[in-house]
Amino acid sequence: MEDQMTNLSDFMTKAASSNMLEIQAGQLAQQKGQMQEVKDYGQMMVTDHQKASDKMMQLAQQKNVVLPDSMSQAHMDKMQELRDKTGRDFDQAYMDLMVSSHEETISLFEDASNNLEDAEVKSFASSTLPTLRQHLDRAKQIQTNVNNNR
């Protein structure tokens, strides 16, 4: 049981950090993005990841898991890199981050949906995957557009 809780807690902690990254980077994209589709994508990230974050908060409370109130150091470093960019460089860096971070998150959620024993958290992970995959597909499209507009 102890191991299971660690895995559950580990998954929820990583997912919470990922949500914070998506939301804060999305807010930044709305302010600093050059291309409209980058700004729009940022808005979608804030909206969708806020919903996911709220669902996870409820789950965490039910499972007595304490979620971090700030993102991981690795995610903080990525945010700092983004804050330092402007113009087209920002658009490119933001979309590169969205592709890589969604790939990481999808792999985290796939692992959870396959391996966690907790049915509710497993179900949350499974039901979140289609949205994450849509985000990744869209991020790749915009990344291509940004690179072609340089």
Side-chain angles (χ1 to χ4, degrees), residues 4-15:
Q4 185 53 37
M5 192 60 207
T6 308
N7 294 342
L8 183 68
S9 174
D10 194 40
F11 163 70
M12 293 181 97
T13 299
K14 286 179 178 162

Side-chain angles (χ1 to χ4, degrees), residues 6 20 30-31 42 51 55 62 65-66 72-74 78 86-87 90 92-93 105 110-111 118 122-123 125 142:
T6 308
M20 285 182 240
Q30 290 172 71
Q31 294 161 19
K51 277 185 209 151
K55 269 189 207 160
Q62 289 167 21
V65 172
V66 179
S72 70
Q73 189 58 53
K78 288 175 183 172
T86 54
F90 174 85
Q92 194 166 26
T105 304
E110 280 173 346
D111 186 40
D118 186 292
K122 198 172 179 162
S123 166
I142 299 171

Side-chain angles (χ1 to χ4, degrees), residues 110-150:
E110 280 173 346
D111 186 40
S113 67
N114 292 326
N115 300 320
L116 282 182
E117 282 169 27
D118 186 292
E120 287 168 299
V121 179
K122 198 172 179 162
S123 166
F124 165 74
S126 299
S127 63
T128 307
L129 274 167
T131 305
L132 291 171
R133 289 189 181 113
Q134 286 172 338
H135 289 172
L136 177 60
D137 291 345
R138 185 72 187 115
K140 285 178 174 172
Q141 289 169 350
I142 299 171
Q143 184 185 43
T144 302
N145 296 346
V146 167
N147 291 336
N148 290 342
N149 277 326
R150 284 195 77 71

Side-chain angles (χ1 to χ4, degrees), residues 54-94:
D54 293 344
K55 269 189 207 160
M56 217 169 61
M57 288 281 200
Q58 292 171 342
L59 266 179
Q61 283 173 337
Q62 289 167 21
K63 307 294 174 191
N64 292 320
V65 172
V66 179
L67 294 179
D69 53 11
S70 62
M71 64 183 102
S72 70
Q73 189 58 53
H75 285 161
M76 285 183 197
D77 293 346
K78 288 175 183 172
M79 274 303 296
Q80 192 50 56
E81 284 171 34
L82 262 190
R83 284 191 190 99
D84 295 340
K85 308 253 188 245
T86 54
R88 293 271 180 222
D89 288 341
F90 174 85
D91 284 3
Q92 194 166 26
Y94 175 67

